[in-house]
Amino acid sequence: MEDYGAILATERYGSGESWHYVAKDGAMERRRDSRDAEPRGNSIVGVFKSVFLPQGYPESVSGDYLQYQFWDTVQAFSSSLSGTLATQASLRGVGVGNQEATVAAATVTWLLRDGTGMLGRIVFAWLKGNKLDSEAKKWRLFADVLNDIAMFMEILAPFFPAWFTLIVCTSGIFKSVVGVAGGATRAALTVHQARRDNMADISAKDGSQETLVNLAGLLVSLILIPLVTDNPALTIGLFFFFTALHLYANYKAVRSVVMETLNEARLAIMLRHFLRDGHVPTPLEANREEPVFLEFRKTLPIKLGVRLHEVVQSPEELRLALKKDAPFLLGFTNGCVCVCLAAHANTRDEIRAMCQAIWLSDKLSSSRQHQGFWEMVHKSYELMGSEFDRFYKGVEDAGWDVTRTLLDWDEWRFKWKPKMR
């Protein structure tokens, strides 16, 4: 064994490898740490990682990154194959291979499909754009389910020639919704995964992964197309198989995400646990319980950041609503628990207001009697006055990020005159 002098310096590349600089014959030589020695041929793996994984992986991303990306890759591959089957059906429907079909008719159908899709994209972004951050998991899964429905419609469309244009236009609207919801929620998940303000790098590498998956899907499609041509039964059978795989992979993907920011669902889970047994769930525990499907509410809906007149309609109600040192008001209007937020409220105030609204929503939903609303509002202030500090400390200790929230606040803020108190 060669004799080396003292170690002059060491350096590391993340958690991947470490090196020593040692003195030898009056020079400085760089030697890899023997404990980090990797098997032969790993240079190929290293190149693969640098091409498809963010720089600094795994330290530069969230702990759920790899599991999410695995299931996201599976769903993208199965979706690519389903899309091939749907595209083939659409082309057949507009007349490809049919000598009686005209280019003009096919072009008009395609333009109508794209035009309705553009309108659908605008309308959906207007109606639901503000929900995509706070409920990213639900809308991510919803987008993929809707995408499968749209592709199934495209496969069936050629069997209904009289309704073909209407079906493909409806499918185009669905796919436009998928584009908005899928793209926006992907951005929200990228923000969650980025731990070094490296959103652009993660997004770029995600694009590379998706391109590789689509390339693999393209190669498999070249084998499938000759088999399914003029075989509707096999086409539909394969479509259902790939769709089932796609939906399962998407469910596993959103289930694997562990977000540390507070939205309504996660905060409600934490508050209910705390009031029941004094325990504040960790991000992993709360994310496991968080619903990932859009659902019909079993509790009264909550509207945050509403206008003042949606909470109180008279000076007397305003006096009832105002509480000392509480920079928010709670009210009940049109079957909703409403919250007005003061202009000087901070993130902690937003969390407390949401906690009281959740408690009120639960109580009003179980009692189904809303006549004593103001008494229940006062009880919510008393409860949070005695328990919120302990709850908030438990939230911080459990590892939640309380510097920002994903609560769905609207932009209305109010100020009041001091004499109102």
Side-chain angles (χ1 to χ4, degrees), residues 262-281:
L262 301 174
N263 68 355
E264 180 180 339
R266 293 189 285 273
L267 185 57
I269 291 168
M270 295 157 59
L271 181 64
R272 289 162 188 155
H273 273 281
F274 175 78
L275 295 178
R276 186 172 62 244
D277 52 34
H279 167 66
V280 176

Side-chain angles (χ1 to χ4, degrees), residues 51-119:
V51 172
F52 294 104
L53 294 177
Q55 180 178 313
Y57 172 85
E59 289 84 3
S60 63
V61 296
S62 59
D64 55 18
Y65 178 83
L66 188 61
Q67 186 177 2
Y68 174 84
Q69 292 303 127
F70 170 78
W71 288 112
D72 191 50
T73 298
V74 173
Q75 70 86 17
F77 179 74
S78 55
S79 180
S80 175
L81 297 179
S82 298
T84 298
L85 299 175
T87 300
Q88 184 201 36
S90 294
L91 292 174
R92 187 170 63 248
V94 296
V96 174
N98 182 358
Q99 296 181 354
E100 297 180 0
T102 65
V103 174
T107 303
V108 168
T109 301
W110 215 259
L111 290 175
L112 287 173
R113 176 181 179 271
D114 289 348
T116 52
M118 293 174 188
L119 292 175

Side-chain angles (χ1 to χ4, degrees), residues 276-296:
R276 186 172 62 244
D277 52 34
H279 167 66
V280 176
T282 64
L284 180 60
E285 293 169 338
N287 276 267
R288 283 175 177 170
E289 294 187 37
E290 182 185 5
V292 294
F293 293 102
L294 294 175
E295 56 189 3
F296 295 105

Side-chain angles (χ1 to χ4, degrees), residues 216-235:
L218 177 63
L219 295 176
V220 175
S221 296
L222 292 176
I223 300 173
L224 284 180
I225 291 301
L227 299 177
V228 300
T229 301
D230 300 323
N231 192 337
L234 182 59
T235 298

Side-chain angles (χ1 to χ4, degrees), residues 270 274 278-282 388-400:
M270 295 157 59
F274 175 78
H279 167 66
V280 176
T282 64
F388 182 73
D389 287 343
R390 192 161 63 92
F391 172 72
Y392 190 81
K393 186 178 186 306
V395 171
E396 293 180 308
D397 293 343
W400 291 91

Side-chain angles (χ1 to χ4, degrees), residues 175 243 257 389:
K175 284 195 171 184
T243 297
V257 175
D389 287 343

Side-chain angles (χ1 to χ4, degrees), residues 5-70:
I7 296 176
L8 302 176
T10 61
E11 65 181 2
R12 296 191 63 85
Y13 187 84
S15 60
E17 55 185 281
S18 61
W19 295 79
H20 298 314
Y21 287 88
V22 298
K24 180 183 179 183
D25 300 330
M28 188 167 68
E29 185 170 316
R30 188 171 183 257
R31 299 276 297 178
R32 184 167 193 152
D33 190 333
S34 59
R35 292 171 297 181
D36 289 339
E38 297 181 353
R40 195 175 193 180
N42 197 62
S43 59
I44 298 176
V45 175
V47 171
F48 184 87
K49 287 182 177 179
S50 66
V51 172
F52 294 104
L53 294 177
Q55 180 178 313
Y57 172 85
E59 289 84 3
S60 63
V61 296
S62 59
D64 55 18
Y65 178 83
L66 188 61
Q67 186 177 2
Y68 174 84
Q69 292 303 127
F70 170 78

